Amino acid sequence: MSKNPGYHGVLLHIDLTTSKSEKVAIAPADLDKFVGGQGLGMKILWDRLKKPGINPLSPENPLIFMPGPFSGLPVPSSSRTCVVTKSPITSPMKSDYDHASTVSYSNMGGFFGPEIRFAGYDGLVITGKAPELSYVVIDDDKVEIREGKRFKGMRTDVFDKVFLDALGDRRFKTVYIGPAGENLVPYASILHTAGRAAGRGGMGCVMGSKNLKAIAVKGSGQPGVADHQRFLAALDKARSALYGTAYAKNWAEQGTARAIVANSNAGTEAVRNYREGTFPEADKIGGDAARRDVWVKDIACYCCPLACKKSGITKGKYGGIVHDGPEYETGVMLGSNLLISDMPGLLKAITTLDDLGLDQISTGNVIGFLMEAYEKGLINLGFLDGIDLKWGSVDATLAMIEKIAAKDGVGALAAEGVRALSWHIGKGSEKFAIQVKGLELAAHNIQANQPRGLSYVTASRGACHMSGDNIAMQNRRAMLDSTGMCFFPTFEPALEEPMLAMLSAITGHEYDKAEFEKAGERIFNLEKLFNYREGFRRADDRLPDRFFEDAFTVGPKKGAVLDRNQFDAMLTQYYKDRGWDPETTRPEKEKLHELGLDSI
């Protein structure tokens, strides 16, 4: 029994090299300081990688699946699982270590995190490498590593069905990789229940490097709480803040797809490899069009009243069942960014990427970069293996997706990301290679949105739109991703007070707003220490030249472009406000003492 109410107090550590598993106790102080999810995952990563420069694809690099203290309890929208590891795609400009890279974390919804807690664990830590393709089955205390060669090369849609049949019990919750992960594409993703993904930062690549095709978990228990009556009272308030409200109904109506048209109208969308912020045909791929022509069902994650996941059917050349999408990121990166306005074609691309197990954001970036390089004559049909990769071409996009997942021909180079492509092509192409630290930007353009540029350059995992546009947002979001709660419902102000009360009632540790944000600051600073130890400095907090040189030519923000001096001054002030050295970005000793990170 854990000394911290609300936690089991144990991790399940599985070593694929030795085929052994064991329960490992979690230090009570770590639960108080780092909570769960992203925070506790980061602390585990720090403790297990005791020196910098370890190869992310080595057996030593842990792959950590972390729910939070809300997971497995009937807390609204408490579905999230944070996957934490060392990134296989990022690197600093200069380092003393060949395999220097950032921390990487990716957050997915669904049902996997709660099931980990039902099985009696606060997280899973996977190390080692299986001698052949394998999968793990966890049924409460029973843990097995099984041979999985028959699943080799299987795409995720088929695998999801076949795997559950093989397990013989549909109560298992599963995560798995597709061919891209098996082929070690650095931006491969981990999939869960057809369309939910830990997509960013190469999680599927690390899983593939361990010869691990899938994990299945089933549990029969439930986590406890420290103060049951207080928890129930706060839970009732949280439900009242969300269930049946206009806010929840808006999410259920269109999910994030609503923003496809809204952000285009605002001039902050990624269009034509980030050359523009407005897509004139955004209405053809936005939420209204999807609701009218595609979606037939709204689907929710564990205990979620928002039901923002959609499914439907398209017809014609690209027709078929749609498991998810368009969401904002997928709809923009494979739609607006590539000038694709054919809804069935867009959804075919989204479905294919999930089926192969590729990150939608990075892949859309890579294809957009290649389209621009081809348009400018920097590469030719020969370079592209005969694929006529023109703006708006669905067929060419689908062909390139297949090439990337298989690492076939040009796909082998494209699989390394836009930075590697620009290094190979040269000819000034680095100016429009849209990445920070090696990780491609998300679907929010920044010529007219300087704060989002700050988020991209200071985020711990490389370019990240979810990190937050200022210090307060970054601290808060790091903590939110440590609780197991989804980000989307937290836009509702009425949820904040009961959320803090529930967290206090579950854990036995008292959280007011200040304590909540301080915990998030501690987590964010530990991530910074990890990156700094790997060799990342201020020179790595750098945006591509496009955002300072290529002003928008259309839309409401026509003429918008970032000012280098203003952005640099904002960055200097950010470091000072963070308590970091503005020249090196190293956290100052006073800040580490304030956050209780002295020993680290």
Side-chain angles (χ1 to χ4, degrees), residues 514-533:
E515 179 65 16
F516 189 89
E517 292 180 358
K518 185 176 181 180
E521 185 179 13
R522 181 181 302 115
I523 293 162
F524 198 89
N525 272 264
L526 182 57
E527 292 169 353
K528 177 63 181 179
L529 286 172
F530 183 95
N531 290 352
Y532 188 88
R533 186 176 69 175

Side-chain angles (χ1 to χ4, degrees), residues 298-501:
D298 304 327
I299 304 172
C301 295
Y302 175 83
C303 276
C304 186
L306 304 189
C308 69
K309 179 177 167 59
K310 312 299 176 191
S311 66
I313 302 171
T314 57
K315 297 179 180 180
K317 179 180 178 180
Y318 305 110
I321 295 173
V322 176
H323 292 305
D324 197 18
E327 295 182 322
Y328 177 72
E329 299 297 333
T330 61
V332 171
M333 294 314 302
L334 296 165
S336 306
N337 191 52
L338 307 183
L339 301 190
I340 290 175
S341 59
D342 179 314
M343 177 71 87
L346 167 63
L347 292 173
K348 177 66 174 177
I350 292 171
T351 300
T352 302
L353 281 170
D354 277 343
D355 208 18
L356 291 167
L358 282 168
D359 175 21
Q360 309 258 354
I361 293 174
S362 285
T363 307
N365 239 299
V366 166
I367 295 175
F369 172 84
L370 287 171
M371 282 180 171
E372 182 165 352
Y374 184 46
E375 175 193 39
K376 290 181 172 178
L378 306 185
I379 57 176
N380 57 25
L381 273 176
F383 183 95
L384 295 170
D385 296 340
I387 299 172
D388 193 14
L389 199 61
K390 292 181 178 178
W391 296 110
S393 174
V394 175
D395 287 341
T397 296
L398 294 173
M400 187 56 66
I401 289 170
E402 296 284 349
K403 285 272 190 180
I404 291 169
K407 283 190 171 179
D408 175 38
V410 65
L413 181 57
E416 299 302 313
V418 297
R419 184 169 62 174
L421 277 167
S422 70
W423 288 343
H424 182 84
I425 294 169
K427 305 173 186 177
S429 62
E430 70 280 354
K431 291 179 178 290
F432 58 88
I434 309 301
Q435 55 80 30
V436 174
K437 301 180 180 73
L439 184 66
E440 291 78 12
L441 273 63
H444 303 260
N445 214 337
I446 54 178
Q447 279 95 327
N449 189 2
Q450 181 171 271
R452 185 55 50 89
L454 181 74
S455 175
Y456 285 138
V457 299
T458 59
S460 302
R461 64 179 181 181
C464 175
H465 66 296
M466 293 297 293
S467 177
D469 295 351
N470 56 52
I471 291 171
M473 289 173 67
Q474 288 177 337
N475 294 343
R476 178 176 172 79
R477 291 187 183 181
M479 184 55 174
L480 281 172
D481 282 350
S482 301
T483 65
M485 179 173 277
C486 180
F487 170 62
F488 294 155
T490 62
F491 288 104
E492 171 52 65
L495 186 63
E496 181 170 59
E497 186 274 328
M499 179 187 71
L500 294 173

